[in-house]
Amino acid sequence: MIDIRKDERLSILNHSCAHLLAQAVKHLYPKAKFWVGPVIAEGFYYDIDLDGYTLTNEDLEKISKEMKKIAKDGKRIYREEISKEDALNKFKDDPYKIDIINEFPEGEVISCYTQGDFTDLCRGPHVDSVKECKNFKLLKVAGAYYKGDSNNKVLQRIYGVCFDSKEELEHHLCLLEEAKERDHRKIGKELDLFMGHELVGPGLQMWLPNGATVRYELEKYIKEKEVKLGYNHVYTPYLASTELYKVSGHWDHYKDDMFPTMKLDNEELVLRPMNCPHHMLIYKHKLHSYRDLPIRIGELAPDFRYEASGAVCGLERVRQMCQNDAHLFVRPDQIKEEVSNVVNLILDVYKDFNITDYEFRLSLRDKNNTEKYFDDDKMWEKAESELRKVLTELGIDFYEAEGEAAFYGPKLDVQIKSAIGHDVTLSTCQLDFLLPERFDLTYIDANGQKARPVVIHRAILGTFDRFMAFLIEETKGAFPLWLSPVQVNIIPVNNEYHLKYAQKVMEKLASQNIRVNLDDRDEKLSYKMRDSQSHKIPYTVIIGDKEKDNKNISYRLFGHRETETKSLKEFEKMLFKEIKERG
Ligand code: TSB
Ligand code: ZN
């Protein structure tokens, strides 16, 4: 989906359309007061004070009609530059604009744009005439606190988008519709994959049997891969003493993202937000020689983070998550090779899942934010330059983003876009010189001296939660065979004549660990066939007279109209091959 802000022409057009919206609202609601109307990735919005009135969809239609009328009139848009004093005078009845004007530094030029009977304070630039804004769509309206502060008044935020041509607008609206259809929350409900409940709370999802099956397969898949690459998996507790996080530095730099402490008698416990501290202790538990390194400790590990209730989103952003986590303890001379191995593992996994739309991001600290990031310039510079060097040498394209690092070090994040346009991190690989210091980790080097290892934190699938959200949106719920909750659905044409043989087929497949369902409901064949498709089951087997008499099966692949016939043996062989290859 296009990011409107990244296209100069579309930015100007959408910003002009926000003014057109404000003008129409002013016509229909003369008492309306306007706050700001910026361009966003999805188009534009305008925050409007309607004195407590909540706009309905019918209102949006009326506003839209008025906008069309104004656009048709085709008034020119004029720019005017005025002094602060004149601006204060001109907008004296509009407290929000006065607020903006007062924030202008003395002496700076203030510009206004006028179209017909409407003038708005604006830096510009704008298109020449309101006529250019005629291909727009108002998308929705929502409440938004003035200045984003929940102590303030709720304003009406109207969202819209504008294009140069009707065709471009329609194409964009089609994409939006498709994105809505792909939203993992919608598909998750339709396919019974996961659910939330208000009695459990925001950001706390329950994986239903279908979703749990997919997750179990993902867990097996990634664990097998990691074991082959020399990882050792552990289990560690989800709780720890607050002291652990004081040692690690989480207490100073990550406390706001954690659930509050549980105080019992003279103990203080906390739910862990990350697994690194536990893994540091596992490393420290034994003496290590330089020859033992790298040591790779992996865990499929539940973590708890106090995400804002407004920010949680289906499985994409949750408060309890399960990381596909590992910490690699390496010698400084092994950083390059181990980071490369992690990057290659990411690329290998992406190939298996056919993930092609992603970007590598080098996430750096914000030097001025000493609260969020551990304060040691030298350590940061070393870690950042090491990671940058490895990436450059690997020939990986990446962009840099300040303020996105972990508190303990810079990260190489893989960014993807969700269906509804969220930019989120899927995989991550992080370089850390700090935690080995804080936990006083050592190994014995080739000269028999104590030396400090470096830690690489990495999560390939990220969390199973977020990966599942991504996978649902990528596949639209039509999982590959090896992941499908139900792999084969058997439909007897007529229960009276074909059920017995159908049951036999089911038992045979089930005994070979194929996930199979027998649809023996007294419904029409066509209904059951449609139902099988809507549940996105990869193979639908049909058992009728021919199949029963010849002792074979006929099947239809998801999304196909043709039916193939095979002996049960051949069918099984084909399934095994496809499952094994995880194609
Ligand atoms: C990789 N200590 C490291 C670990 O060793 C760590 O915790 N890194 S992290 O903070 O970046 O989290 C790892 C991954 O978890 C992220 O890359 C992201 O894919 C996923 N993730 C983070 N927050 C959430 C959340 N609230 N919901 C779902 N997944 C999340
Ligand atoms: Zn970690």
Side-chain angles (χ1 to χ4, degrees):
M1 197 94 54
I2 187 165
D3 181 340
I4 301 285
R5 287 168 309 184
K6 287 189 179 157
D7 182 311
E8 204 186 332
R9 162 72 193 168
L10 281 180
S11 286
I12 295 172
L13 186 65
N14 275 268
H15 190 46
S16 301
C17 199
H19 279 223
L20 174 62
L21 164 66
Q23 184 177 10
V25 170
K26 191 80 191 162
H27 285 179
L28 298 172
Y29 308 87
K31 285 189 177 151
K33 303 258 181 300
F34 301 91
W35 172 228
V36 285
V39 174
I40 53 173
E42 296 79 22
F44 65 85
Y45 70 74
Y46 217 123
D47 279 351
I48 304 164
D49 182 352
L50 292 173
D51 211 13
Y53 181 68
T54 305
L55 289 166
T56 62
N57 283 338
E58 286 80 63
D59 294 328
L60 279 196
E61 258 168 49
K62 274 186 217 146
I63 296 168
S64 196
K65 253 197 196 137
E66 183 64 19
M67 287 169 75
K68 291 250 148 78
K69 207 167 105 197
I70 302 169
K72 209 163 172 197
D73 273 359
K75 290 278 189 294
R76 287 195 67 76
I77 302 173
Y78 295 100
R79 179 184 167 92
E80 192 189 351
E81 292 183 354
I82 52 177
S83 67
K84 191 166 177 174
E85 206 183 339
D86 287 346
L88 285 170
N89 197 26
K90 203 177 183 93
F91 291 95
K92 63 178 185 305
D93 296 329
D94 202 328
Y96 296 115
K97 298 291 168 190
I98 297 285
D99 211 11
I100 298 172
I101 298 164
N102 279 332
E103 285 193 2
F104 264 78
E106 251 352 289
E108 192 158 314
V109 180
I110 296 180
S111 54
C112 296
Y113 281 80
T114 301
Q115 51 201 54
D117 58 5
F118 181 76
T119 300
D120 203 351
L121 194 67
C122 185
R123 197 176 290 124
H126 280 281
V127 295
D128 294 335
S129 149
V130 287
K131 212 189 266 169
E132 293 177 54
C133 302
K134 68 175 182 203
N135 299 302
F136 68 86
K137 169 92 183 161
L138 295 186
L139 299 168
K140 61 174 178 185
V141 56
Y145 291 113
Y146 172 54
K147 291 190 174 174
D149 184 338
S150 59
N151 296 315
N152 291 343
K153 201 169 184 178
V154 178
L155 307 179
Q156 294 292 293
R157 177 172 293 179
I158 304 177
Y159 291 88
V161 68
C162 185
F163 283 89
D164 273 313
S165 69
K166 204 170 155 215
E167 291 70 32
E168 282 169 290
L169 175 66
E170 272 169 14
H171 175 65
H172 182 77
L173 295 177
C174 267
L175 291 181
L176 279 184
E177 206 41 51
E178 205 216 333
K180 244 197 243 159
E181 287 299 309
R182 278 199 305 135
D183 189 324
H184 77 279
R185 293 167 297 182
K186 181 171 185 281
I187 297 176
K189 219 182 255 158
E190 288 163 357
L191 298 184
D192 268 336
L193 295 168
F194 65 94
M195 65 174 272
H197 197 287
E198 64 208 35
L199 286 178
V200 180
L204 298 167
Q205 298 292 346
M206 293 175 272
W207 294 64
L208 299 168
N210 285 341
T213 302
V214 181
R215 174 157 163 182
Y216 172 71
E217 290 294 344
L218 289 173
E219 289 173 356
K220 259 198 328 197
Y221 160 83
I222 198 66
K223 254 190 161 174
E224 272 172 27
K225 254 196 200 298
E226 289 175 352
V227 168
K228 277 193 193 135
L229 292 168
Y231 286 67
N232 293 296
H233 291 97
V234 297
Y235 294 99
T236 57
Y238 312 165
L239 283 164
S241 150
T242 46
E243 289 307 309
L244 178 65
Y245 300 98
K246 285 182 186 157
V247 174
S248 68
H250 283 81
W251 208 244
D252 285 340
H253 303 287
Y254 205 75
K255 199 162 72 190
D256 290 347
D257 296 287
M258 293 166 70
F259 283 94
T261 323
M262 288 166 258
K263 290 195 174 131
L264 318 110
D265 302 328
N266 41 21
E267 279 182 284
E268 264 192 33
L269 291 172
V270 71
L271 282 166
R272 67 176 176 193
M274 294 190 195
N275 319 300
C276 349
H278 287 97
H279 292 186
M280 300 298 130
L281 295 179
I282 289 179
Y283 175 88
K284 201 176 157 78
H285 166 67
K286 271 196 165 177
L287 273 182
H288 301 284
S289 133
Y290 68 99
R291 273 183 265 108
D292 303 332
L293 271 45
I295 288 174
R296 307 176 186 89
I297 299 179
E299 185 172 358
L300 309 187
D303 290 317
F304 306 82
R305 294 186 186 173
Y306 186 50
E307 299 279 2
S309 61
V312 294
C313 172
L315 284 177
E316 179 188 300
R317 186 171 297 281
V318 288
R319 285 176 164 182
Q320 179 182 334
M321 65 204 81
C322 181
Q323 280 200 45
N324 159 220
D325 201 6
H327 294 93
L328 319 181
F329 299 83
V330 309
R331 302 192 305 259
D333 64 283
Q334 293 170 320
I335 294 175
K336 189 177 149 212
E337 194 183 345
E338 272 311 290
V339 172
S340 310
N341 288 344
V342 171
V343 171
N344 284 330
L345 177 55
I346 292 175
L347 296 177
D348 181 37
V349 166
Y350 283 20
K351 217 162 116 213
D352 285 346
F353 288 96
N354 215 358
I355 306 174
T356 51
D357 212 1
Y358 58 85
E359 274 185 303
F360 278 97
R361 178 182 81 182
L362 180 58
S363 304
L364 310 170
R365 78 178 155 153
D366 168 1
K367 285 196 186 90
N368 301 321
N369 190 344
T370 44
E371 243 175 54
K372 188 165 163 201
Y373 301 105
F374 187 74
D375 197 11
D376 183 337
D377 286 343
K378 253 209 188 126
M379 210 181 285
W380 276 97
E381 271 150 33
K382 190 161 136 205
E384 290 179 357
S385 84
E386 282 277 357
L387 217 43
R388 198 179 282 115
K389 203 168 74 198
V390 177
L391 281 174
T392 312
E393 281 181 26
L394 282 173
I396 299 249
D397 273 342
F398 64 93
Y399 68 97
E400 303 197 1
E402 268 184 31
E404 297 290 346
F407 78 83
Y408 45 72
K411 309 193 284 177
L412 170 58
D413 290 324
V414 187
Q415 298 301 114
I416 50 136
K417 268 240 153 54
S418 73
I420 57 166
H422 291 159
D423 182 38
V424 289
T425 303
L426 202 58
S427 312
T428 185
C429 176
Q430 315 167 352
L431 197 53
D432 176 7
F433 292 90
L434 176 69
L435 294 193
E437 218 38 77
R438 307 272 299 195
F439 283 89
D440 190 24
L441 304 185
T442 56
Y443 64 90
I444 305 300
D445 72 12
N447 305 317
Q449 303 294 312
K450 272 191 181 171
R452 193 70 85 214
V454 179
V455 167
I456 298 167
H457 308 237
R458 46 106 287 178
I460 308 299
L461 303 182
T463 52
F464 290 93
D465 315 81
R466 183 168 291 176
F467 194 78
M468 181 72 169
F470 169 79
L471 202 58
I472 294 171
E473 297 189 349
E474 272 298 290
T475 60
K476 299 186 192 150
F479 298 110
L481 184 66
W482 68 279
L483 285 173
S484 287
V486 175
Q487 296 170 313
V488 178
N489 188 32
I490 304 176
I491 308 179
V493 174
N494 184 322
N495 274 349
E496 200 176 321
Y497 306 114
H498 311 123
L499 186 59
K500 245 199 174 144
Y501 177 57
Q503 264 163 349
K504 265 207 181 125
V505 172
M506 180 191 78
E507 280 159 19
K508 184 77 201 315
L509 293 176
S511 73
Q512 318 251 25
N513 292 327
I514 305 278
R515 294 187 289 269
V516 57
N517 176 63
L518 174 63
D519 189 349
D520 56 3
R521 291 175 298 174
D522 277 325
E523 297 283 356
K524 279 212 176 104
L525 175 68
S526 58
Y527 172 83
K528 294 206 238 181
M529 290 294 284
R530 251 182 291 130
D531 203 37
S532 197
Q533 286 286 308
S534 67
H535 282 90
K536 317 212 171 173
I537 300 173
Y539 286 92
T540 302
V541 164
I542 304 120
I543 304 284
D545 283 341
K546 241 180 20 200
E547 289 77 17
K548 187 179 145 197
D549 295 344
N550 301 327
K551 294 275 164 285
N552 58 20
I553 59 104
S554 296
Y555 68 87
R556 201 178 271 191
L557 263 175
F558 170 74
H560 290 243
R561 307 198 121 254
E562 322 76 59
T563 309
E564 302 256 350
T565 302
K566 272 196 165 55
S567 75
L568 189 55
K569 259 246 131 33
E570 275 176 331
F571 182 59
E572 279 173 10
K573 227 165 108 187
M574 182 181 77
L575 295 180
F576 290 149
K577 185 164 178 283
E578 196 178 329
I579 291 169
K580 189 160 170 240
E581 286 170 357
R582 290 183 166 129

